[in-house]
Amino acid sequence: MDKDIVLITGGCGNIAKHVVNKYLAKGAKVIAVDVIQRKFEHSENENYEFYKVDATNIEQIQELYKNIESKYGRITHLISAAGTPMKTEIDGLETATFEDIEKSINLNLKSHIYFTKIFLPLIEKEEKNKSITLVSSVNAIKTFNLPIYSAAKAGIIGFMKSMTKDLGKRNIRINVVLPGTVPTEEDIASNGNFYNNRYKEMLALNDFTKPQDIADAIYCITNDMLAVTGQSIVVDSGQIS
């Protein structure tokens, strides 16, 4: 039986590296792309492949498409997880620079559209279960004072909704995952009181959402929830309940 081939953008990020591990553990071929390369335990796995790609650069994405098309001829699942807020918008719109507004929209919205558009032909060539999963944020549906990031992440939901029926005709499912606050181990170690005081009291489950929680949810959506498409799935430990 042919392996699933999973393309993960932002593949070296805090959440995405756990998504990579999840699919590798399930025996999939994983192609991770990111603008910078980091070494992880899975870097030597024979089913892991890395490409240095700027997710906002159309030419680089098109070149990646050519490489994957010639090597594999198909993609089973696209998981578009690239994204991060810009530093100047943390205190609101007034402090956000025009340069960071442009960067945020390009990374947090356009990159997801670019990868979907460019890789759609390879996803269509997959004969079995195939899907697109876009990683948004609870910022898309709740106010956390990141106006441009929130607008971009909300745009992902609109894009997904508009694509659902068209992709369904091609037997491709598309969904959005909305993670809550997912601090890294380094965040907690260096600034634990800040996270505990500011965020933990918001959580119905009284504990932070972990990267592995997001990875488990994404895998479930792509491989188990085969009747689910056009949905925005919140994974936030009850942060916005």
Side-chain angles (χ1 to χ4, degrees):
M1 184 176 179
D2 291 336
K3 292 179 183 293
D4 285 353
I5 300 174
V6 184
L7 175 61
I8 303 175
T9 76
C12 292
N14 178 43
I15 292 173
K17 67 183 181 182
H18 289 81
V19 180
V20 169
N21 279 333
K22 183 73 177 184
Y23 284 91
L24 288 174
K26 296 292 185 178
K29 174 70 182 181
V30 177
I31 302 164
V33 301
D34 209 318
V35 71
I36 56 175
Q37 183 173 13
R38 296 185 176 95
K39 291 290 185 181
F40 302 112
E41 290 182 8
H42 60 243
S43 298
E44 304 304 319
N45 189 307
E46 63 180 7
N47 286 324
Y48 176 76
E49 193 169 349
F50 176 84
Y51 288 88
K52 185 177 181 181
V53 175
D54 180 348
T56 68
N57 187 303
I58 295 170
E59 290 75 21
Q60 289 185 24
I61 302 170
Q62 289 172 327
E63 186 62 29
L64 174 68
Y65 176 93
K66 292 176 185 177
N67 289 332
I68 295 177
E69 181 184 35
S70 63
K71 194 167 184 179
Y72 301 107
R74 64 186 174 92
I75 289 290
T76 311
H77 304 297
L78 167 63
I79 299 166
S80 188
T84 190
M86 300 296 130
K87 290 182 179 179
T88 64
E89 69 167 321
I90 289 175
D91 292 321
L93 182 62
E94 291 184 351
T95 61
T97 65
F98 287 108
E99 180 182 10
D100 275 355
I101 292 171
E102 187 76 10
K103 285 181 179 179
S104 188
I105 297 298
N106 286 343
L107 177 61
N108 295 306
L109 176 58
K110 287 184 179 180
S111 71
H112 301 273
I113 299 172
Y114 293 160
F115 268 90
T116 300
K117 177 178 174 61
I118 291 170
F119 277 90
L120 186 55
L122 282 189
I123 300 170
E124 285 190 277
K125 289 181 180 179
E126 177 60 83
E127 296 181 354
K128 52 183 184 294
N129 168 38
K130 48 195 172 184
S131 71
I132 299 168
T133 304
L134 311 175
V135 178
S136 178
S137 168
V138 292
N139 290 74
I141 56 176
K142 175 106 174 160
T143 300
F144 289 107
N145 204 37
L146 293 167
I148 301 93
Y149 179 75
S150 297
K153 292 297 190 179
I156 292 175
I157 298 173
F159 173 67
M160 175 271 291
K161 288 291 186 184
S162 70
M163 293 294 296
T164 301
K165 286 190 176 180
D166 179 50
L167 292 178
K169 294 173 184 176
R170 311 180 208 190
N171 202 31
I172 300 170
R173 294 178 300 109
I174 182 169
N175 293 289
V176 171
V177 171
L178 291 79
T181 300
V182 184
T184 66
E185 293 177 3
E186 291 80 9
D187 289 333
I188 298 298
S190 63
N191 209 357
N193 288 335
F194 170 81
Y195 279 95
N196 286 329
N197 294 336
R198 182 167 182 176
Y199 293 119
K200 204 166 186 179
E201 64 182 17
M202 303 179 188
L203 306 176
L205 297 181
N206 198 37
D207 198 5
F208 294 110
T209 306
K210 298 175 179 61
Q212 189 61 51
D213 297 325
I214 310 300
D216 291 344
I218 290 173
Y219 183 84
C220 184
I221 292 164
T222 61
N223 286 69
D224 298 326
M225 300 167 66
L226 303 187
V228 173
T229 193
Q231 300 303 309
S232 301
I233 299 170
V234 176
V235 186
D236 72 341
S237 297
Q239 184 173 349
I240 62 170
S241 61

